[in-house]
């Protein structure tokens, strides 16, 4: 029997989409939403490739519990995703220009007879969702990013999986670094925030951790490595976030922003490795973990978080608590206004306990 909230909400059918870069746990959220909705006799329409599913015809399908069977442990997203499909400024491939498709999104929302939307995405997708909420589309957001840099939630799913993968990589690099008496520099994701580098670095026992929040001084990094040498450690592990930069310098880019594409970060590990070799005389190698951090099965922590987010998102929809985002405020999953989230980045605070712990462990943060 439906509860009184279900009867009162008037929500019978809602859409779900995934936007931005993928993160392990997206499928777990989709599964949780579909299963929770089925328990409340609601119909879920899966929209393909983020807002493209509301721009282009026939880019949606009904999702039944049988359609989400077995996806809890699978990375990626069964709905597909894109990080270049902002409907307010949609790229036109043929002309290279841009077009505003936002009216079409609102029309398609009504045409599909949807009562609400669940939008799973990072800062960019949630900002777009908030614009549609202001234009009268009832929706609830679910935060996603391996970078863990969304404000108002202590964790996003995907982060724990990325940290576990990076920690395993650091463990593997330790043995080869030690065998060859080398310095290994490993680059992890994290455009604006150093959560992955900091957590994986501490978990993997790194000797130097470079994060976007602390501009680094190569002289200090090299001195730290030479000091380890003097104390008998003939190898070192340096973990750098892709967005780390030297004092007075810039982030390392593979490609400038172009059209709908944001700038592509990368290459800092190569630069840091070359500089370390020059300053210390020690043989140094670099490795970029890249998109391997976004792939694979979510950890149990991420599966639980994603499942709780999905179930709570359906509750919020039934309560008509729109314009909100589900968030983890341990031990609870709460609703926060989307308004408080958009346009902000959750950086690593410089006095954060894990930063202080890293320093207490003798890890150099390059400053
Ligand atoms: O936002 C998550 C993230 O993993 C960033 O750390 C990284 O810079 C970016 O995605 C890369 O995304 P893509 O290659 O899909 O454009």
């Amino acid at each position: 029997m439906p509860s009184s909230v279900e009867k009162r909400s008037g929500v019978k059918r809602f859409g779900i989409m995934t936007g931005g870069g993928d993160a392990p746990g997206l499928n777990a959220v989709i599964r949780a939403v579909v299963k929770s909705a089925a328990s409340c006799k609601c119909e879920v329409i899966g929209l393909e490739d983020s807002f493209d599913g509301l721009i282009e015809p026939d880019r949606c399908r009904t999702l039944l519990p049988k359609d989400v069977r077995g996806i809890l442990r699978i990375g990626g997203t069964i709905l597909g995703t894109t990080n270049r499909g902002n409907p307010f400024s949609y790229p036109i491939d043929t002309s290279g220009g841009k077009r505003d498709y936002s009216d079409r999104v609102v029309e398609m929302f009504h045409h599909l007879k949807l009562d609400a939307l669940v939008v799973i995405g990072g800062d960019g997708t949630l900002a777009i969702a908030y614009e549609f909420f202001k234009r009268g589309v009832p929706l609830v957001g679910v935060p996603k990013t391996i970078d863990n840099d969304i404000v108002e939630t202590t964790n996003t799913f995907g982060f724990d999986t990325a940290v576990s993968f990076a920690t395993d990589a650091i463990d593997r690099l330790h043995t080869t670094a030690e065998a060859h008496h080398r310095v290994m520099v490993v680059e992890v994701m994290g455009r604006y925030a150093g959560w992955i580098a900091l957590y994986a670095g501490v978990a993997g026992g790194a000797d130097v951790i470079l994060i976007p929040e602390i501009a680094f001084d190569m002289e200090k990094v090299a001195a730290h490595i030479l000091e380890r040498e003097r104390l008998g450690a003939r190898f070192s592990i340096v973990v750098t976030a892709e967005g780390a930069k030297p004092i007075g310098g810039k982030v390392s880019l593979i490609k400038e922003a172009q059209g709908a594409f944001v700038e592509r970060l990368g290459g800092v590990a190569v630069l840091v490795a070359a500089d370390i070799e020059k300053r210390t005389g020690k043989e140094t190698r670099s490795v970029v973990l890249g998109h391997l951090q976004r792939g694979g099965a979510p950890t149990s922590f991420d599966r639980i978080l994603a499942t709780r987010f999905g179930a709570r998102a359906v509750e919020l929809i039934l309560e008509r608590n729109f314009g909100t985002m589900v968030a983890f405020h341990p031990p609870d999953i709460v609703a926060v206004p989307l308004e408080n989230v958009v346009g902000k980045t959750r950086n690593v605070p410089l006095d954060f306990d894990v930063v202080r712990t890293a320093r207490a462990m003798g890890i150099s943060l390059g400053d």
Side-chain angles (χ1 to χ4, degrees), residues 69-110:
R69 207 171 283 149
I71 67 169
L72 174 62
R73 62 184 176 278
I74 297 175
T77 158
I78 60 164
L79 292 175
T81 187
T82 172
N83 43 15
R84 58 186 292 262
N86 181 351
F88 293 92
S89 177
Y90 198 80
I92 309 296
D93 286 337
T94 44
S95 66
K98 291 192 177 158
R99 194 166 155 185
D100 185 346
Y101 278 116
S102 55
D103 288 343
R104 189 189 286 193
V105 166
V106 178
E107 275 163 32
M108 187 80 97
F109 173 82
H110 294 299

Side-chain angles (χ1 to χ4, degrees), residues 48 51-60 104 108 111-112:
E48 294 170 2
F51 283 96
D52 284 9
L54 286 174
I55 293 175
E56 298 165 6
D58 304 324
R59 299 293 310 276
C60 62
R104 189 189 286 193
M108 187 80 97
H111 174 73
L112 293 174

Side-chain angles (χ1 to χ4, degrees), residues 21 83 145-147 189-191 242 262 264-265 291 294:
N83 43 15
T145 165
I146 66 163
D147 291 357
M189 280 186 172
R191 296 175 78 82
E242 61 184 348
V262 294
R264 269 174 66 197
L265 271 59
H291 293 78
R294 295 215 314 231

Side-chain angles (χ1 to χ4, degrees), residues 135-158:
R135 291 192 43 185
V137 178
L139 55 84
V140 167
V142 177
K144 157 279 4 165
T145 165
I146 66 163
D147 291 357
N148 205 33
D149 59 358
I150 296 181
V151 296
E152 297 280 350
T153 182
T154 60
N155 291 76
T156 51
F157 61 84

Side-chain angles (χ1 to χ4, degrees), residues 174 205-208 223-237 362:
H174 254 113
D207 307 298
V208 179
H224 190 76
I225 290 166
L226 288 175
E227 176 63 4
R228 277 176 53 77
E229 189 86 1
R230 199 183 63 77
L231 296 173
R234 297 179 61 201
F235 71 97
S236 285
I237 302 287

